[in-house]
Amino acid sequence: MKLLNLLLLAWIPLLSYAQWGDAKWIGTDVPTVYAPYLPQFRICWSIQLDQDSHSTTAAVLFGGNDPRLMDRNMNILDVENGQDESYIKVQLSADKHFLSVWRINYTAKDRRRGAPASSAEELLANFGCEMADIYATHEIAVACCLGTATLSFDGNELGRVELNPMGTGGDYICFPQLADIGYEMEAGQRATLWRTTVRNYRSPCHVLYEEATPVPIGMANKPVRMLTTPRRGSMPLLRRHFAIKDKRVSQATLTATARGIYHASINGQRVGNEYYAPGISQYNKTHYYQTYDVTPLLQSSNTLDVSLAEGWWAGGMTYSGGNWNYFGDQLAFIGRLLIRYADGDSTVITTQPGQWQVCSNSKVQYASMFQGEVYDNTAGVDSWQGAKEMTLEGHLPTEGGGTTPKVDDYSFFQLLPSTTSVGLFTTLTAQGVNEVRPHVYIYDMGQNMAGIPKITLTGLHKGQRLTFRYAEVLYPDLPAYSGKAGTMMLENIRAAMAQDIYIAHGDTSEEFIPEQTLHGYRYVEITGIDHPLPLDAVKGLVLSSIQQFTADFECSNPLVNRLWKNIQWSMLSNFISMPTDCPQRNERMGWSGDISVFSRTAVMMAQVDSFLRKHLQAMRDVQTAEGRMPDIAPIGGGFGGLLWGSAGITVPWECWLQYADRQLLAEHYDAMRAYIHYVDAHYFDRETGLLVQERQWGDLGDWLGLEDSRNDKTLLFEAYYIYDLDIMRQTALLLGKYDDAERYAKRLAERKLFFIDNYVDKATGTTIVSAAYAERKGQAIDTQGSYVLPLAFHIVEGDLRRKMTERLVATIQRENVTDQGVRCPPYSLMTGFITTAWISRVLSDNQRSDVAYRLLQQQDYPSWLYPVTQGATTIWERLNSYTHTAGFGGNNAMNSFNHYSFGAVGQWLVNRCLGIERDERQPGYRHFFLRPEADPTGQMTYAKGHLDTPYGRIESRWTVKSDGTVAYAFVIPEGTTATLLLPGKAPRELSAGRHELP
Ligand code: BGC
């Protein structure tokens, strides 16, 4: 670490925590090792073959006794192994100078124990390893990250081997975990295992477990295999006993935060009602803290407990195993309890190492966002030690660079009061249960959700072990999934373990609520019980940063009503401390493209100004020094490019239009400006003048659009850049930055002309391929999305606008063929994440609401309602994530059932169907438009709904009467006015109150 950083690490805590008195970050330096859930590690053995017995071979083992491979119900690899029958073996054959890697019994194809050693399936790799002296002490090392193992011998890297039979990389259910480790010796072979060390994969690669006592291994007369579980610690539980003075307490406040997540309790009573505090942020830049009023919890003598878990600080992060322990490898807590007495006296209790105890055998044996929680209700809650002061020094990863910022850089650190939280939105009760195999019970919550279960258990015996798995979908009864029908489909959860374990205390009634993990699921599978639990014993706590919705919608089409609900559920599930792409698989990241397209819907659905403001801080925290906006925030990294990075411009703009928060624009402006500068400096091709971006695979276009291969991506980039410039022009004007505004206006005008010259056939309005694709230059693009953006961003006007609208309508009304060759009927939604958000608005803005309504109410694939007809209770990542006829269509891995992006049509339901539309010149609803358009196709016969604004609730309703005319009813809140724009009628001003028309 750079010297400057070291100095800053020492100095910043003093400066920033001054208001916290002498509070210190405290915790334990005993790491938590729960080996069956550890998919990244570096394991190293020092081994010496026995010369006296002329021994030539020895094998070391890991990945042994993975419980998932010991129960046929827990894997789809068709195995059910006994004790010590499954493991990964690295065998040293010293005489042949070979290091071989074997996978034993992970799949039905791997060699069964006892089969001939020559069997081809189990030998994964053979590496040559030179040794001058075979009887010297040698070192075998394996660095294993989500199934990819790199082998070294005596410090020399030999090569890589893929161990995971499910597939390579983070997209698959992950094998092996560290699990049990040990050795195997053939009869007559002897050796000494001098040392076994397990470290973290990511720097600083601290030791998790070490066996330093030399072990003689091997026997003369028979082979030996030994596997043991490396286990250490639990999630830290911090405790402080204190008494208060014998006088009236006027107020007691606890100020607290953690590296990791925490929850506190006083005398066994929960402090606050938040989950996952302090929430995610780019912790090395911005870290939030909470303040709680704890006055009612105090007694004369008290116990303050704080439970710590990995949260977003440590453990799994993104789809990359190398990001494990992303921010650091140690958890810590800092807090200050201020007790004020009525007489003006006060007591302060801070986190002082000497005054707090830490338990490393707490009931929460392990808790991780991705992996799940292991709760042992028989644990002694013993092994108390004095808490230690936890400094960051030596505990920060040094990886990073490029678009992934280094997290050991604390030079811009700020500690801020938290303005958002995660709370309980609602509680669901299981709707049904099915015993899919003997004693395997799958409960259906009836709704895909994000949160945690609350399970009431009775009559268990002490030590009874229950396993909980979580899935969004079950395997359908189709030939492709033969033998699996009705069982949990976990392939799309990928490398996240998403499994809880509960070990019962044996009370008459006990409750399991794994508060320190998060699952995205509809189905809970419970094993370890002999009889099913009653349905009302299986609850789902729906957790979200959203506590209530500010918009509602209902119409005569029940499928559209379900679509609306699905949008709400996907928003709930993905607004959990940050706006994520999905809440279930090993990803759950703040992808910029997703929030950019969904933000217009989001700001109407709920009061998310503080939430998005926090997110914009995260975007700034990972914006590069040159100005590139992140594709993912916090964390950085990922891919996408301009259509993703533009979230840094569009999201603050949506917040401005909805909430009229000028301060938010002001604090973000420099970052927006830097981004435009970055795009100008890096994304243009000098020769053609085209915005070509980075010319990499990661330059994403209309992501998951069904005809995206026909697009000219640079058209999409250019259109969004123009939109960005337009927002910059308006923002600069608002903030009084007139020079900037002029510059952006000029550039905007130039780029609009450039767009028309390069992407449009002016005679017909057809979109055409630019010089960016030399071989296709001049050919028609003619995809839906290619028309949507230039129309949405007012790049074309007048006659050209009319022609392009006609072309767009023609692409919708014709049959289309997907990139995969699937024929789609007229009125199919061929657009991807980016252009779907705008298509309906563009149609309505250009007097084709008839087409918008038909597109909306289309039920055939591909359409918004198709997933609804297939049983969707949330918005899916793909419009055909699941179908009754083709199942998952081969997309078993990248297939989330809870992805809000396609739900961006929510804005149109409010703005055009209900017709509650912002006046962009008077943001925050001081004045707004009412412009409902009843369905011209006659399919939908009424729509009603509301939007809550700072002035109160705006209501809108239209009903088609029996004579075919339309009746309207509106409520306009006090303090605001509306202009009524009805099709074919002159505008009319309406003031506060109820209005019924005609
Ligand atoms: C995510 C998306 C994201 C995308 C970028 C995916 O894995 O789930 O929603 O925008 O990557 O292509």
Side-chain angles (χ1 to χ4, degrees), residues 243-363:
I244 57 170
K245 295 180 187 167
D246 189 16
K247 43 191 175 181
R248 197 169 74 76
V249 174
S250 58
Q251 195 179 36
T253 46
L254 174 68
T255 306
T257 191
R259 297 183 183 134
I261 50 173
Y262 72 95
H263 64 240
S265 60
I266 295 180
N267 305 320
Q269 304 261 24
R270 200 177 208 287
V271 170
N273 47 16
E274 278 193 37
Y275 293 78
Y276 315 128
I280 188 172
S281 59
Q282 186 67 19
Y283 295 116
N284 63 313
K285 295 273 181 69
T286 306
H287 200 125
Y288 296 96
Y289 65 86
Q290 284 69 33
T291 303
Y292 311 91
D293 181 355
V294 295
T295 323
L297 303 182
L298 293 187
Q299 301 165 2
S300 50
S301 80
N302 301 279
T303 304
L304 169 54
D305 278 348
V306 175
S307 171
L308 282 176
E310 291 178 341
W312 295 281
W313 180 273
M317 171 64 79
T318 79
Y319 42 82
S320 158
N323 285 347
W324 205 266
N325 295 339
Y326 193 76
F327 287 100
D329 63 359
Q330 279 193 340
L331 308 180
F333 174 74
I334 188 168
R336 179 178 191 252
L337 175 63
L338 170 64
I339 304 162
R340 287 187 200 281
Y341 300 96
D343 64 2
D345 191 8
S346 62
T347 304
V348 177
I349 291 162
T350 57
T351 40
Q352 282 293 306
Q355 297 163 2
W356 288 66
Q357 296 284 299
V358 61
C359 165
S360 43
N361 182 27
S362 74
K363 290 178 190 274

Side-chain angles (χ1 to χ4, degrees), residues 18 40 97 143 293 378 616 742 768 941:
Q40 57 74 42
H97 294 249
D293 181 355
T378 64
L616 291 170
E742 207 181 311
I768 51 172
T941 53

